[in-house]
Amino acid sequence: MTGFATSVIGCKCEAAIECDVPAAETPDGRPGVSVLLFATDTANLQTRLIERIGQTVMTCPTTACFDGLPDATERLSVGRALRVFGDGFQASKVIGGRRYWRLPVMDGEFLVQEDFGRATAIGGGNFLVLGETAEGALEAAEAAVRAMANMRGVILPFPGGIVRSGSKVGSKRYKKLVATTNDAFAPTIRPLTTSELPPDVNVVYEVVLDGLDFTTIATAMRAGITAACRPGIRAITAGNYGGKLGPHHFYLRRILAGELAP
Amino acid sequence: MTGFATSVIGCKCEAAIECDVPAAETPDGRPGVSVLLFATDTANLQTRLIERIGQTVMTCPTTACFDGLPDATERLSVGRALRVFGDGFQASKVIGGRRYWRLPVMDGEFLVQEDFGRATAIGGGNFLVLGETAEGALEAAEAAVRAMANMRGVILPFPGGIVRSGSKVGSKRYKKLVATTNDAFAPTIRPLTTSELPPDVNVVYEVVLDGLDFTTIATAMRAGITAACRPGIRAITAGNYGGKLGPHHFYLRRILAGELAP
Amino acid sequence: MTGFATSVIGCKCEAAIECDVPAAETPDGRPGVSVLLFATDTANLQTRLIERIGQTVMTCPTTACFDGLPDATERLSVGRALRVFGDGFQASKVIGGRRYWRLPVMDGEFLVQEDFGRATAIGGGNFLVLGETAEGALEAAEAAVRAMANMRGVILPFPGGIVRSGSKVGSKRYKKLVATTNDAFAPTIRPLTTSELPPDVNVVYEVVLDGLDFTTIATAMRAGITAACRPGIRAITAGNYGGKLGPHHFYLRRILAGELAP
Amino acid sequence: MTGFATSVIGCKCEAAIECDVPAAETPDGRPGVSVLLFATDTANLQTRLIERIGQTVMTCPTTACFDGLPDATERLSVGRALRVFGDGFQASKVIGGRRYWRLPVMDGEFLVQEDFGRATAIGGGNFLVLGETAEGALEAAEAAVRAMANMRGVILPFPGGIVRSGSKVGSKRYKKLVATTNDAFAPTIRPLTTSELPPDVNVVYEVVLDGLDFTTIATAMRAGITAACRPGIRAITAGNYGGKLGPHHFYLRRILAGELAP
């Protein structure tokens, strides 16, 4: 459900597990996981949901799939598209004002909700961990990721939560490219470009966050940045992109001081 | 690299980890994993390789990406498409007759081979585990998957290696659909269709295999089927599809008797 | 609960997870794991149960601990010894003829059964995987272990299920030692001793099994040995110990032929 | 190596993985893990090392075992006791002033250092996470544990790093007991004892740390406590034990303010 979903540009969506959901909180009383999926427009989001639920959740032993945003007023129809896999043997039922589809499969039935909630959210939150050594920088970034894991309302779409191929908007060389390597933070080409790396920094890792709202992302960033403050880390900063990439600005110093509202 | 790659129809490719590769056997002397990726035509295969390596391997801390089929005569150009991410700071080098690209990234360089080998292989090998109980059938299928894990030349493209939404070719109800639920093996609709389920069977799981050649798939099937022979399993069979789905036929009795050649 | 429990000689007991237990089959309707613990006498077994449950299960968030052998007529008192940790705040209750103790702890109560069943069982089942290469032999042994995982009635007490320091009874050099290296199967001293290694074998791994009865162990061995039959494995045999180590003899050829009774 | 090692009282030692060690930093250039083992006296520490290395490291495929405290002046002889397993086929060699033993085993040789360093360290660092709900308290404690993972010089000896059966020194009821349940923090007996639980707190988890020195433990506590500050956590405090349990005092407010020296 969340594989090959690191970047809306290259994968059409970004997705990851938000948190485990204990049996007491799921609709069918079984242990669950909550997934958040981000896309750049609603039609695309719907297509991604249908194909990913159909290919990876419906196929998987014992699963059912429920909406996790019941209060969202905008609804995307998903179960209706999947129902035809039942080849006429499917059935639907309305419970508590929501429609559910039952598709016969080889281990019983796949139960899937008719529609799923959509909300306006925030993608591309990030911070950069600048370290002296490869080992130290990676450990610090991993500690950051672990400190943010299982938080409600936020996901880290990259595998392991960490990116090493940070990018800048556009290109100096290739006019058509929308994103190329963040050469200002690439240590091996320090002498060849206008580097922003401090003298003792040899490795940089980026942590990317998508979240449901500003405060959730800021709270996660505060926990992650604090955990990344380990020996050998020289600086923690963020991709700025000239302040032009989206309406939200996360000021790291304010966040660390506890200002978690926009 | 291998996420959302369960079915060539719905995901454009099928992919999974083939095996771990010990440090002594990798080109750069570091521990590795080998991935096999299957697609229905060469152009599609190349596109999938480029986008998946670019989005999930290049982005990941410390990785490099090497061809695992050096003897394959057909070569797909991959590194050339990825190199532009380096924004002109990339470099290439030919070592031992093969070209490698070095792309500057934030933790150093991403090293990726220029071209990757392609070979004609076999998709859609499968067997069905028919059990009395949900727990027993799942455990048996899981034992089968574990017995086949890490084998050279074969992958199980579905998450956990197991499929519960087995399908038949076409549809009885919807003329345009290429695949719908395998109603003959769906226990909840037994009275509504021409069921092929034996009396005591209540749950069926399918294991799907893709492999480089017939013998590899047959060897894996023998290990998997033997491991699935646990208490409560009533039968093990395979999706036949009228013998029309591809040129290869895997006869389970012959395979269990040790006939592993085509 | 199962750590540092590889050998009854060195660790006083052998223990491992037998299988996962689905929520529907546990006394409190929550997902569980079943552990088997083997010792050489009843008093020792009781002491091991008390200290391991007290140090590792009672201490662990959310756990409860129930008897898994309710039909065993011999009972070991465990809860009575643990109850004093409750410092007088504990309580007990008899349900269905069994006594349970409730000990107040910081996340609520630790619920533990008063007594646990004991049965006469079999330790030290084993087979040896003889391979050409280190990688191949380890992969084959791992495949064997995976094929036997989660089977009812049998455990593999060593970490990962595999032993590389196989031993013989007694010693050629040190009179007091009860066990020393199995020099006949140690490849680096082949010229220095009476080796039993075939010419092309350079690495040997042993799989050790403890089980509740003969048939369970034989069934597991059949699945494990079949899965270990991978390329590069030259022979599979077993530690014989002159037929003097215990009353049970497992003949590998009979087991592979399906003779699973004693 | 680290199983059944939660408490020096009940298990004779406390042990856990300190951190992964990359191949570039290990004596034999292979990936490793570093383990710290704590005991209350030197003779006991030596016995624990010998039996745990002998039963769990020597037995495990491919392992070698090296000293991680080469600068410690106090040395414990370990390899000498293990060497007799080689039954006279063992050999030793001095490299760089250190003696190593080579024991022939079935996958080659087990290489183990003759002596291991000992240092005076600190056990029993701890903090308590007081939460409103079971789920929230456990998640917060788990986030704390993850934020501290892989730190040099510190271990969390309990499984998963979290304790739910916190204890007080001595007993109110049983005169001979050295430790019984921390009734002041046990929510189910709040009305029966002098509770220290704030009104809305229903679940408490303890995180226990052992470390090589004060600053290491304080640094880990700062990261852990920050990560535990999640919604639903009402207080974070520590077991005080009347200030009588050992010479070191960790003041949480000072630690959070960055005072990490004693």
Side-chain angles (χ1 to χ4, degrees):
Chain A
M1 176 73 182
T2 67
F4 187 51
T6 57
S7 152
V8 289
I9 300 172
C11 306
K12 299 178 182 166
C13 66
E14 300 179 7
I17 289 175
E18 177 197 22
C19 59
D20 295 319
V21 185
E25 296 176 20
T26 62
D28 60 0
R30 302 186 304 161
V33 292
S34 173
V35 165
L36 293 177
L37 194 148
F38 292 73
T40 49
D41 65 90
T42 301
N44 180 27
L45 183 65
Q46 184 181 30
T47 304
R48 302 290 84 79
L49 273 176
I50 292 167
E51 69 184 11
R52 285 175 175 263
I53 292 174
Q55 294 298 323
T56 66
V57 182
M58 183 174 78
T59 58
C60 182
T62 80
T63 55
C65 193
F66 301 103
D67 171 42
L69 295 174
D71 299 331
T73 50
E74 255 191 88
R75 313 297 304 171
L76 304 181
S77 174
V78 169
R80 178 162 299 275
L82 293 174
R83 86 189 192 292
V84 293
F85 181 78
D87 199 16
F89 298 102
Q90 70 272 17
S92 81
K93 191 158 193 177
V94 175
I95 303 174
R98 300 285 187 206
R99 182 172 298 278
Y100 298 84
W101 289 95
R102 297 163 48 196
L103 278 60
V105 286
M106 297 193 309
D107 71 348
E109 292 184 334
F110 174 53
L111 181 65
V112 59
Q113 205 148 354
E114 163 53 27
D115 57 31
F116 286 71
R118 189 202 71 79
T120 301
I122 305 172
N126 71 82
F127 59 89
L128 299 170
V129 178
L130 285 66
E132 299 170 3
T133 67
E135 285 297 328
L138 187 52
E139 272 184 31
E142 288 175 339
V145 168
R146 291 192 305 258
M148 294 182 284
N150 230 24
M151 273 196 178
R152 301 300 187 273
V154 66
I155 61 165
L156 312 183
F158 281 86
I162 306 171
V163 188
R164 64 98 173 256
S165 60
S167 57
K168 65 177 177 292
V169 176
S171 162
K172 296 170 174 176
R173 165 81 64 106
Y174 309 102
K175 295 305 169 198
K176 295 179 186 168
L177 293 183
V178 293
T180 54
T181 193
N182 193 350
D183 54 279
F185 287 91
T188 62
I189 53 172
R190 198 194 296 249
L192 307 179
T193 190
T194 308
S195 183
E196 294 185 30
L197 293 173
D200 293 335
V201 169
N202 297 300
V203 175
V204 177
Y205 284 120
E206 182 175 353
V207 176
V208 173
L209 308 89
D210 298 329
L212 292 184
D213 57 42
F214 186 97
T215 298
T216 301
I217 291 179
T219 304
M221 288 177 79
R222 183 175 60 160
I225 290 170
T226 305
C229 293
R230 294 196 167 198
I233 301 306
R234 304 297 295 238
I236 291 178
T237 182
N240 186 358
Y241 309 111
K244 293 176 291 189
L245 214 63
H248 303 282
H249 298 99
F250 294 88
Y251 297 93
L252 301 194
R253 289 183 189 280
R254 293 185 195 169
I255 286 171
L256 283 184
E259 294 180 36
L260 304 176
Chain B
M1 177 73 183
T2 67
F4 187 51
T6 57
S7 152
V8 289
I9 299 172
C11 306
K12 299 179 184 166
C13 66
E14 300 179 7
I17 289 175
E18 176 197 22
C19 59
D20 296 319
V21 185
E25 297 175 19
T26 62
D28 60 0
R30 303 187 301 162
V33 292
S34 172
V35 166
L36 292 177
L37 194 147
F38 292 73
T40 48
D41 64 88
T42 302
N44 180 27
L45 183 65
Q46 183 182 29
T47 304
R48 302 290 84 79
L49 273 176
I50 291 167
E51 71 185 10
R52 284 175 176 263
I53 292 174
Q55 294 298 322
T56 65
V57 183
M58 183 173 77
T59 58
C60 182
T62 80
T63 55
C65 194
F66 301 102
D67 171 43
L69 295 174
D71 298 331
T73 50
E74 254 192 88
R75 314 297 305 170
L76 304 181
S77 174
V78 170
R80 178 162 298 274
L82 293 173
R83 84 189 194 289
V84 294
F85 182 77
D87 200 15
F89 297 103
Q90 70 272 17
S92 81
K93 192 159 192 176
V94 175
I95 302 174
R98 299 284 187 208
R99 183 173 298 279
Y100 298 84
W101 289 95
R102 296 163 49 197
L103 278 61
V105 287
M106 297 193 309
D107 71 349
E109 292 185 332
F110 173 52
L111 181 64
V112 58
Q113 205 148 352
E114 164 52 29
D115 57 31
F116 286 71
R118 188 202 72 77
T120 301
I122 305 173
N126 72 81
F127 59 90
L128 298 171
V129 179
L130 284 67
E132 298 171 1
T133 67
E135 285 297 330
L138 186 53
E139 270 184 34
E142 288 175 338
V145 167
R146 292 192 305 258
M148 294 183 285
N150 230 23
M151 273 196 178
R152 301 298 186 274
V154 66
I155 61 164
L156 312 183
F158 282 85
I162 305 171
V163 189
R164 63 97 173 257
S165 62
S167 57
K168 65 177 178 290
V169 177
S171 162
K172 297 170 173 176
R173 166 82 65 105
Y174 308 102
K175 295 304 171 198
K176 293 179 186 168
L177 293 183
V178 293
T180 55
T181 194
N182 192 351
D183 55 278
F185 287 90
T188 62
I189 54 171
R190 198 193 297 248
L192 308 179
T193 190
T194 310
S195 183
E196 295 184 29
L197 292 173
D200 293 335
V201 169
N202 297 300
V203 175
V204 177
Y205 284 120
E206 181 176 352
V207 176
V208 172
L209 308 89
D210 298 329
L212 292 183
D213 57 43
F214 187 97
T215 299
T216 302
I217 292 179
T219 304
M221 288 177 79
R222 183 175 60 161
I225 290 170
T226 306
C229 294
R230 294 196 168 199
I233 302 306
R234 303 299 294 239
I236 291 179
T237 182
N240 185 358
Y241 307 113
K244 293 177 290 189
L245 214 62
H248 302 282
H249 298 99
F250 294 88
Y251 297 94
L252 301 195
R253 290 184 188 280
R254 293 185 193 169
I255 286 171
L256 282 183
E259 295 179 36
L260 304 176
Chain C
M1 177 73 182
T2 67
F4 187 51
T6 57
S7 152
V8 288
I9 299 172
C11 305
K12 300 177 182 166
C13 66
E14 300 179 6
I17 289 175
E18 177 197 23
C19 58
D20 297 319
V21 186
E25 297 175 19
T26 63
D28 60 0
R30 303 186 302 161
V33 292
S34 173
V35 166
L36 293 177
L37 194 147
F38 292 73
T40 49
D41 64 89
T42 302
N44 180 27
L45 184 65
Q46 183 181 29
T47 305
R48 301 291 83 79
L49 273 176
I50 291 168
E51 69 185 12
R52 284 175 176 264
I53 293 173
Q55 295 298 322
T56 65
V57 183
M58 183 174 78
T59 57
C60 181
T62 79
T63 56
C65 192
F66 301 103
D67 172 42
L69 295 173
D71 298 331
T73 51
E74 256 191 88
R75 313 297 304 169
L76 304 181
S77 173
V78 170
R80 179 161 299 272
L82 293 174
R83 84 189 193 291
V84 294
F85 182 77
D87 201 14
F89 298 102
Q90 71 272 17
S92 81
K93 192 158 192 177
V94 175
I95 303 174
R98 300 282 188 209
R99 183 172 299 277
Y100 298 84
W101 289 95
R102 298 163 47 198
L103 277 60
V105 287
M106 299 192 308
D107 71 350
E109 291 184 334
F110 173 53
L111 182 64
V112 59
Q113 205 148 354
E114 163 53 29
D115 56 32
F116 286 72
R118 189 202 72 78
T120 300
I122 305 172
N126 72 82
F127 59 89
L128 299 170
V129 178
L130 285 66
E132 298 170 1
T133 67
E135 285 298 329
L138 186 54
E139 271 182 33
E142 289 175 338
V145 167
R146 292 191 305 259
M148 295 182 284
N150 229 23
M151 274 195 177
R152 299 301 186 272
V154 66
I155 61 165
L156 312 183
F158 282 85
I162 305 171
V163 189
R164 63 97 172 257
S165 61
S167 57
K168 64 177 177 294
V169 177
S171 162
K172 296 171 175 175
R173 166 80 64 106
Y174 309 102
K175 294 306 170 197
K176 294 180 186 166
L177 294 183
V178 294
T180 54
T181 193
N182 192 350
D183 54 277
F185 287 90
T188 62
I189 53 171
R190 197 193 298 246
L192 308 179
T193 190
T194 309
S195 183
E196 294 184 29
L197 293 173
D200 292 337
V201 169
N202 297 299
V203 175
V204 177
Y205 283 120
E206 182 175 352
V207 176
V208 173
L209 307 89
D210 298 329
L212 292 183
D213 58 42
F214 187 97
T215 298
T216 302
I217 292 180
T219 304
M221 288 177 79
R222 182 174 61 161
I225 290 171
T226 306
C229 293
R230 293 195 168 199
I233 302 305
R234 304 298 293 237
I236 291 179
T237 182
N240 185 359
Y241 309 112
K244 293 176 292 189
L245 215 62
H248 303 283
H249 298 100
F250 295 88
Y251 297 93
L252 302 195
R253 288 184 189 281
R254 293 186 194 167
I255 286 170
L256 283 184
E259 296 180 35
L260 304 176
Chain D
M1 177 74 183
T2 66
F4 187 52
T6 57
S7 151
V8 289
I9 300 172
C11 306
K12 300 179 182 166
C13 67
E14 300 179 7
I17 289 175
E18 177 198 22
C19 59
D20 296 319
V21 185
E25 297 176 19
T26 61
D28 61 0
R30 302 186 302 162
V33 293
S34 173
V35 166
L36 292 177
L37 194 148
F38 293 72
T40 49
D41 64 89
T42 302
N44 180 27
L45 183 65
Q46 184 182 29
T47 304
R48 303 290 83 79
L49 274 176
I50 291 168
E51 69 184 12
R52 285 176 176 262
I53 292 174
Q55 295 299 324
T56 64
V57 183
M58 183 174 78
T59 57
C60 181
T62 81
T63 55
C65 192
F66 301 103
D67 172 43
L69 295 174
D71 299 331
T73 50
E74 257 192 88
R75 313 298 304 171
L76 304 180
S77 175
V78 170
R80 178 160 298 272
L82 293 173
R83 84 187 193 291
V84 294
F85 182 78
D87 200 14
F89 298 102
Q90 71 273 17
S92 81
K93 192 160 191 177
V94 175
I95 302 173
R98 300 283 187 206
R99 183 172 297 279
Y100 299 84
W101 289 94
R102 297 163 49 198
L103 277 61
V105 287
M106 296 194 309
D107 72 348
E109 293 184 332
F110 174 51
L111 182 64
V112 60
Q113 205 148 353
E114 163 52 29
D115 56 31
F116 287 72
R118 189 201 72 77
T120 301
I122 305 173
N126 72 81
F127 59 89
L128 299 169
V129 178
L130 285 67
E132 298 170 2
T133 67
E135 284 299 328
L138 187 53
E139 269 182 33
E142 287 175 339
V145 168
R146 291 191 305 258
M148 294 182 284
N150 229 22
M151 273 197 177
R152 300 301 186 273
V154 66
I155 60 165
L156 312 182
F158 282 86
I162 305 171
V163 189
R164 63 96 174 260
S165 61
S167 58
K168 65 177 177 292
V169 177
S171 163
K172 297 171 173 174
R173 165 80 64 106
Y174 309 102
K175 295 305 170 198
K176 294 181 187 166
L177 293 183
V178 294
T180 54
T181 192
N182 193 350
D183 55 277
F185 287 91
T188 62
I189 54 171
R190 196 193 299 249
L192 309 178
T193 190
T194 310
S195 183
E196 294 184 29
L197 292 173
D200 293 334
V201 169
N202 297 300
V203 175
V204 177
Y205 284 120
E206 181 175 352
V207 177
V208 172
L209 308 88
D210 299 328
L212 292 184
D213 58 42
F214 187 97
T215 299
T216 302
I217 292 179
T219 304
M221 288 177 79
R222 183 174 59 160
I225 291 171
T226 306
C229 294
R230 292 193 169 201
I233 302 305
R234 303 298 293 237
I236 290 179
T237 181
N240 185 358
Y241 308 111
K244 293 177 291 189
L245 215 62
H248 303 283
H249 298 100
F250 294 89
Y251 297 93
L252 301 194
R253 288 184 189 281
R254 293 186 194 168
I255 285 170
L256 282 184
E259 295 179 36
L260 303 176

